Amino acid sequence: WLWGVLRAIEHTDASAMLRTSLLLVLLSSTLHSAQSFSPPPFFQTSNKPPVPPSPLLRSQHISRQGSASRCVRMEASPPRPLQPFQLERFFAEYEFVAPYLMCCSDVQPLSMGEVIGDSDAGSKALWDQLSLGYTESQGLPALRNEVSKLYNTVSEEDIVVLTPEEGIYLSMRSLLKQGDRVVVQGPGYQSLSEIALSMGCDVDFWLPDQQTLAYDVSDLEKLVRKAETRLVVINFPHNPTGAMVTSDDLKRVVSACSEAKSHLFSDEMYRGLEFDPEAAPESAIDVYDKAIVLCGMSKTYAMPGLRMGWIVVKDEGLRTEIQQMKDYTTICCPAPSEVLSLMGLRNSAKVIERNRGICISNLALLREFVGRHGGVFDGFVEPKGGSMALLKLSDGFLQGKTSREYCVDLVEKHGLLILPSSEFSFGDKHIRIGLGRTDLEANLQRWGETLS
């Protein structure tokens, strides 16, 4: 009707001034009507606050017959703002004020002296001559060349250097659109699912068995085959359980993705920290051309302060789109961080041996601690890799409290920081303990004193 009225005014014999006046009156009336317009129910927005990002807690659980493994479905919805990052907000409140950190996911960070002192002559020359100017958007060629040596089928052109979190964000934003279906391993780092949810994607979660914390690949195969799937997201060694998959398991994951014509995003930030290196599977990029692999310097290489990582993408079109989106985020990486990363990678054998040794030694300390305080814990499933362990607190110990309430009480009264499972949406009875720091033995002793 509005278009008809406009056409009538346009063809009237009235003067130009009168036609203009009629248009202004009509516009004012239309705007007033729009302000008082009541949309139909399916179009209305709720006045309720946004749902917190706890999809594994708030969604309906679907149990497998005779097993504690579960999958969780989040229905597609209109795009919405990114929700607060629960884990990072918890750390923002406590990490830099608590004197005793027991939940860190990194390994004891290397010092500048250690990194530079163990570097090769070529890297030292680059450091001494370093210009603090802009760097190449795709990353320092020498660094990309060094990264390519970590894989069997990768060239330096397949690699984009960036911040690890940025790699997740740019990959998801480049690959997904509203209504796409994504299968995500859970629990996990929130951005691996939250970005897709914020874009209006339909997300299913692949969860471990509640007792063994092991992942059944058959569950993932069923999820991928259930409906058209754009992307599958996995993380091994897994944060926070320390779970692993075998080479045969990974091949089954790849086969399911290939059959569904899905991309596979493989978060490999802890690759290299497998406690049995001989049992470690290949990188996903070496067995599937539609894989997107994320790795970096923060965990396995003990250099989180560099804020450096990379993604490996063989799909040239997708890689180009990611690089173009990077022009709107960091554009390029810090020159000092690139050269320090190069030093670390060229000394990777020594660094990884050090870091794996710290984690394995600390696992033995934690095993002994759990044995001495059996009533506190409801069993202990030991991790097979990575730099953390997931423990379940017993109902008798919690006495009606949640693990978050216990952890907050522990840090505020005793300065000991442990991460509750609520911060990665895995119920309210588990806690995450970091295995990578050299002060774990002293901190376990402090923790034990609070339990006596």
Side-chain angles (χ1 to χ4, degrees):
W1 70 267
L2 179 59
W3 176 248
V5 174
L6 289 172
R7 294 288 291 174
I9 292 174
E10 180 184 355
H11 290 93
T12 184
D13 292 333
S15 66
M17 182 175 292
L18 178 58
R19 287 201 300 271
T20 301
S21 298
L22 287 170
L23 285 170
L24 290 173
V25 170
L26 178 63
L27 179 61
S28 174
S29 176
T30 303
L31 289 174
H32 177 76
S33 299
Q35 291 172 351
S36 59
F37 172 65
S38 179
F42 61 83
F43 215 66
Q44 290 178 350
T45 57
S46 171
N47 290 324
K48 296 179 181 179
V51 176
S54 304
L56 307 191
L57 297 178
R58 301 182 64 89
S59 305
Q60 183 169 359
H61 294 164
I62 307 169
S63 298
R64 286 196 302 119
Q65 186 76 21
S67 171
S69 290
R70 301 179 299 177
C71 66
V72 175
R73 183 174 182 78
M74 293 292 287
E75 296 292 343
S77 59
R80 57 162 173 76
L82 287 166
Q83 300 298 289
F85 205 127
Q86 290 174 281
L87 179 147
E88 297 298 344
R89 290 300 90 207
F90 185 82
F91 278 152
E93 184 171 359
Y94 294 111
E95 183 178 11
F96 295 98
V97 294
Y100 311 117
L101 305 181
M102 296 184 61
C103 57
C104 298
S105 60
D106 59 357
V107 183
Q108 188 70 33
L110 294 166
S111 69
M112 285 278 288
E114 288 175 302
V115 175
I116 297 175
D118 287 338
S119 64
D120 64 293
S123 299
K124 284 182 179 176
L126 285 175
W127 181 256
D128 291 339
Q129 301 163 15
L130 184 65
S131 167
L132 298 180
Y134 290 115
T135 61
E136 293 191 33
S137 177
Q138 192 171 351
L140 180 70
L143 177 58
R144 288 189 284 117
N145 179 264
E146 202 65 36
V147 169
S148 71
K149 297 176 184 178
L150 302 173
Y151 310 96
N152 297 323
T153 63
V154 170
S155 74
E156 63 182 70
E157 289 305 313
D158 299 327
I159 296 159
V160 181
V161 180
L162 33 62
T163 301
E165 178 69 271
E166 183 183 25
I168 299 172
Y169 182 81
L170 296 182
S171 297
M172 303 290 179
R173 296 291 300 183
S174 298
L175 187 63
L176 301 174
K177 65 181 184 303
Q178 182 180 356
D180 282 342
R181 181 168 179 270
V182 184
V183 175
V184 182
Q185 182 182 356
Y189 200 58
Q190 186 174 322
S191 55
L192 293 172
S193 58
E194 173 59 26
I195 295 169
L197 288 168
S198 76
M199 295 175 69
C201 293
D202 181 0
V203 176
D204 280 312
F205 288 89
W206 175 38
L207 299 180
D209 183 280
Q210 291 288 309
Q211 300 302 316
T212 66
L213 299 181
Y215 286 87
D216 188 339
V217 178
S218 297
D219 288 345
L220 179 66
E221 291 171 329
K222 292 173 185 176
L223 284 170
V224 174
R225 291 165 182 161
K226 184 171 65 175
E228 183 177 352
T229 302
R230 175 67 169 165
L231 178 66
V232 175
V233 181
I234 61 174
N235 164 225
F236 294 108
H238 181 243
N239 169 14
T241 67
M244 288 287 302
V245 288
T246 64
S247 291
D248 288 341
D249 288 336
L250 180 60
K251 289 174 183 176
R252 288 176 61 190
V253 172
V254 165
S255 178
C257 291
S258 179
E259 180 183 320
K261 298 180 172 58
S262 305
H263 283 79
L264 174 64
F265 187 96
S266 181
D267 177 349
E268 300 179 4
M269 290 296 295
Y270 300 90
R271 184 170 180 251
L273 290 180
E274 300 85 359
F275 298 158
D276 180 5
E278 298 300 319
E282 307 90 330
S283 171
I285 197 68
D286 285 328
V287 292
Y288 190 43
D289 283 345
K290 294 185 72 173
I292 306 162
V293 162
L294 172 74
C295 197
M297 303 303 295
S298 299
K299 314 299 184 183
T300 302
Y301 301 98
M303 302 168 73
L306 297 184
R307 310 311 302 132
M308 287 289 290
W310 56 86
I311 56 168
V312 189
V313 187
K314 291 182 179 177
D315 182 332
E316 184 178 0
L318 177 58
R319 188 174 63 251
T320 297
E321 188 166 351
I322 290 171
Q323 289 179 248
Q324 290 173 345
M325 287 198 68
K326 186 171 181 263
D327 295 338
Y328 287 92
T329 52
T330 59
I331 302 177
C332 61
C333 295
S337 292
E338 288 191 318
V339 176
L340 290 168
S341 296
L342 181 63
M343 291 176 174
L345 289 178
R346 287 180 173 175
N347 193 37
S348 61
K350 180 178 179 180
V351 171
I352 291 175
E353 182 181 8
R354 164 204 186 256
N355 295 343
R356 186 187 291 122
I358 291 173
C359 293
I360 292 174
S361 296
N362 281 340
L363 176 59
L365 293 172
L366 183 61
R367 183 187 304 122
E368 191 272 337
F369 180 86
V370 171
R372 282 192 289 111
H373 300 278
V376 175
F377 306 101
D378 188 6
F380 176 31
V381 179
E382 294 194 12
K384 297 180 179 179
S387 53
M388 65 201 75
L390 189 66
L391 298 172
K392 186 177 182 181
L393 299 176
S394 68
D395 290 338
F397 174 73
L398 286 173
Q399 296 184 338
K401 285 186 177 181
T402 66
S403 60
R404 192 182 200 281
E405 289 171 333
Y406 171 69
C407 290
V408 169
D409 189 61
L410 189 66
V411 69
E412 292 184 348
K413 290 182 178 178
H414 304 283
L416 288 160
L417 182 61
I418 294 174
L419 184 68
S421 55
S422 58
E423 306 314 296
F424 44 86
S425 300
F426 196 59
D428 56 10
K429 294 184 178 182
H430 290 78
I431 56 174
R432 190 183 84 181
I433 301 295
L435 299 176
R437 296 299 181 93
T438 54
D439 60 356
L440 181 64
E441 183 173 16
N443 287 336
L444 286 175
Q445 183 176 346
R446 293 184 179 96
W447 188 17
E449 290 170 359
T450 73
L451 301 175
S452 57

